[in-house]
Amino acid sequence: MKPVKLKDIIDQMDTMSDEYNVFLDKETGKIFSLSAEEMSIAEESEEDEDFSNYPEWQQDELKEALDVIVNWENYVELPSKFDIDEYSIMEEFCDSISNSRMSDALRNAIQGRGAFRKFKDTIQRLNIEDSWYKFKEEAFRKIAVEWCEDNCIEYV
């Protein structure tokens, strides 16, 4: 397999949702996502299922999901939202701000309900959005590098 682009992994990590799992095909280097529904259908299917009773647009994804289940050793699941823990990244960002007034405002924003929304509003109000996005990208980069190394995947 040729080396995987770290940027592709980071981009996938940044757009993850709870309803999708993202995989890397170790043979081709292809990164793709499958819905929880597709994975569930594939898990309950036979190995030779053709999925002809599903809409044409869904058949390829179901076949791909079945291949992931049957040939699990050929795939690696990318870090999930739970592995990434964006809340901890926000906490680290708060600690990285040397201006105590700004740092305190950010720490207050991430307390309680609506922490992500309040955090975003606060970084906009403080005009430090660029700093946050650079910090977050670097944190995601570290997670992606560690994931690649843990899974013996070459990256560029």
Side-chain angles (χ1 to χ4, degrees):
M1 180 180 90
K2 64 182 182 180
V4 176
K5 292 181 185 173
L6 210 50
K7 182 173 180 359
D8 292 345
I9 294 171
I10 293 166
D11 288 347
Q12 283 293 329
M13 288 169 46
D14 200 25
T15 59
M16 284 189 181
S17 75
D18 295 338
E19 293 84 35
Y20 284 86
N21 298 29
V22 182
F23 298 94
L24 169 75
D25 182 326
K26 292 192 287 189
E27 292 178 1
T28 66
K30 176 184 171 190
I31 298 173
F32 59 95
S33 60
L34 295 168
S35 72
E37 177 188 11
E38 291 160 349
M39 292 299 291
S40 178
I41 292 168
E43 284 172 355
E44 296 174 12
S45 300
E46 297 296 322
E47 217 172 305
D48 60 349
E49 178 75 47
D50 68 358
F51 301 107
S52 57
N53 56 326
Y54 289 90
E56 190 174 321
W57 62 267
Q58 195 176 24
Q59 290 176 23
D60 288 339
E61 278 124 13
L62 290 170
K63 289 174 187 173
E64 205 163 45
L66 183 59
D67 192 56
V68 167
I69 291 163
V70 172
N71 300 301
W72 181 251
E73 67 280 356
N74 296 335
Y75 299 93
V76 183
E77 188 169 2
L78 269 67
S80 70
K81 288 184 74 142
F82 302 105
D83 298 321
I84 295 167
D85 190 9
E86 196 167 336
Y87 185 82
S88 291
I89 296 170
M90 292 185 328
E91 286 181 313
E92 290 172 24
F93 180 71
C94 295
D95 293 340
S96 76
I97 302 297
S98 58
N99 180 313
S100 61
R101 182 186 62 77
M102 287 182 167
S103 180
D104 289 346
L106 289 167
R107 281 222 163 267
N108 288 334
I110 64 172
Q111 301 304 311
R113 290 182 49 122
F116 288 89
R117 168 78 5 265
K118 290 187 294 185
F119 179 82
K120 186 174 181 178
D121 291 345
T122 304
I123 63 170
Q124 288 174 342
R125 183 174 48 81
L126 297 174
N127 199 26
I128 56 173
E129 286 176 284
D130 288 344
S131 297
W132 159 245
Y133 289 116
K134 286 177 188 172
F135 187 92
K136 179 181 169 186
E137 183 174 347
E138 182 56 29
F140 275 37
R141 184 186 177 292
K142 287 177 186 174
I143 294 167
V145 165
E146 185 177 315
W147 177 84
C148 286
E149 291 173 354
D150 288 349
N151 290 285
C152 302
I153 295 169
E154 287 186 56
Y155 59 91
V156 292

